Amino acid sequence: MFGAWQAGAWKALAPVFQPDLVVGASAGALNAWAVAGGCAPEELCDRWLHLDGLSALRWQFPRNYRQGLLDSRPLHSLVRDMYIAYRPVTECAIVVTQLPAFRPVLIRGGDIEWQHLAASVAVPGFFEQMRVGGKLYSDGGLAGALPIWAAVELGATHIVAIDVLPELPNLTLRLLASAFQRLRHIRPTQPGNVVRIGVPSSLGTARDAVVWSPVNAQRWIAQGEAEGTRARHEVAQLTAF
C-alpha cells in the first residue's frame, strides 16, 4: 500500500526529473520496475487505485515454513501482471533479502524475474517467501526500506530518495529490522548529493501497509504528489549537472 504514496511523488517529479537508474525495495521494487519500464505517472497511480483483488485477502493456515498467513495468489497475480506489462528501458535494480542469512541482495535488470519482485514485497509472516534459483528470498525492506546503499553500489552520485517509510509502523518489525541491520553490519549510506523526500508523518498502521483500501490509496497518492511538488526545485537543482 505504501507504494501508492511513492506513485504520487513520482507523478510530481516526472516532469522535472528523468533518472539514469531506478532502485527499489519492497513496494518500491514494483514501482522501480514500472518507472524503469517507461510507465507513465498517471498510469502508475491508476494501478494503485485499482487493486480490488487485494481488498479482501483470505486468511489461511500456513502449510509450511514458506507460506504466510495470507493467501498470496492475488498478490502474485498483480506482480506477474506488472512484470509482463513493462520491460526496463532505464537501468533498474531491486533489493530482496536472502534467507536464512537475512542478507540483502541486489538483483539487476535482465536478471529480475517476477518471483524476485514477489519476494521483495513478501512481508514475512503474511506473504509467501519466494524460492528463486534454489535460494529463498523475503521482503527487500527488512534491512531498511530506503536502499540508498544499493544505488551507491551501482555508481549513483546524485540521488533522489523517496522515503515512504522512515519508521516501520510496528514495534516488533522495528526491533527485527534493527537486529537485521546489526547482524549484517549494515550502515546507513549517505553520499553528499541526495534529495530525500519523506512523509511528514506516519501513513498508517501495519494493517494499512498490507491491506488495500481505495480511500487510503487516493489519499496517499495525493500526499505523495504534494511532497514531490514541494521538492521539485531541489530535485531540479540536484540533477542540473
Side-chain angles (χ1 to χ4, degrees):
M1 272 298 298
F2 292 141
W5 195 96
Q6 296 173 338
W10 172 241
K11 181 180 179 181
L13 294 175
V16 299
F17 171 55
Q18 291 300 315
D20 301 308
L21 163 70
V22 190
V23 179
S26 200
L30 296 180
N31 283 334
W33 181 260
V35 170
C39 178
E42 294 77 10
E43 180 182 346
L44 185 59
C45 291
D46 189 66
R47 282 186 171 273
W48 287 104
L49 288 172
H50 295 89
L51 299 181
D52 302 80
L54 301 185
S55 61
L57 290 170
R58 184 173 61 85
W59 293 95
Q60 65 180 10
F61 184 81
R63 290 176 295 177
N64 56 58
Y65 71 96
R66 286 178 51 195
Q67 285 193 331
L69 292 170
L70 293 171
D71 181 359
S72 296
R73 286 176 294 183
L75 177 64
H76 291 173
S77 178
L78 161 71
V79 171
R80 283 194 297 267
D81 179 63
M82 291 192 72
Y83 180 78
I84 292 170
Y86 309 107
R87 280 294 182 270
V89 293
T90 300
E91 186 177 359
C92 177
I94 68 168
V95 180
V96 295
T97 301
Q98 186 175 337
L99 301 176
F102 293 103
R103 180 172 68 91
V105 176
L106 196 56
I107 311 293
R108 300 181 63 176
D111 294 330
I112 299 173
E113 304 288 345
W114 79 263
Q115 292 92 338
H116 291 119
L117 293 175
S120 197
V121 297
V123 180
F126 288 98
F127 295 116
E128 181 180 352
Q129 310 298 281
M130 302 298 294
R131 189 174 295 280
V132 189
K135 297 177 181 179
L136 188 62
Y137 295 119
S138 184
D139 194 303
L142 287 181
L146 188 67
I148 292 178
W149 65 268
V152 173
E153 186 173 305
L154 293 174
T157 58
H158 294 68
I159 298 172
V160 177
I162 300 179
D163 191 3
V164 70
L165 198 59
E167 183 177 80
L168 290 169
N170 177 278
L171 177 60
T172 301
L173 292 177
R174 290 198 293 271
L175 292 174
L176 285 173
S178 178
F180 295 155
Q181 290 171 7
R182 289 196 299 271
L183 179 67
R184 303 312 309 172
H185 306 292
I186 297 171
R187 296 289 182 269
T189 303
Q190 187 66 40
N193 298 309
V194 177
V195 172
R196 187 185 294 259
I197 304 170
V199 297
S201 61
S202 173
L203 287 173
T205 66
R207 185 181 186 278
D208 291 332
V210 296
V211 180
W212 179 80
S213 157
V215 174
N216 280 347
Q218 183 68 64
R219 176 168 54 88
W220 290 356
I221 286 172
Q223 290 179 358
E225 186 174 1
E227 293 301 319
T229 299
R230 276 190 279 271
R232 270 186 175 184
H233 180 68
E234 191 177 3
V235 169
Q237 285 187 318
L238 175 75
T239 57
F241 66 95

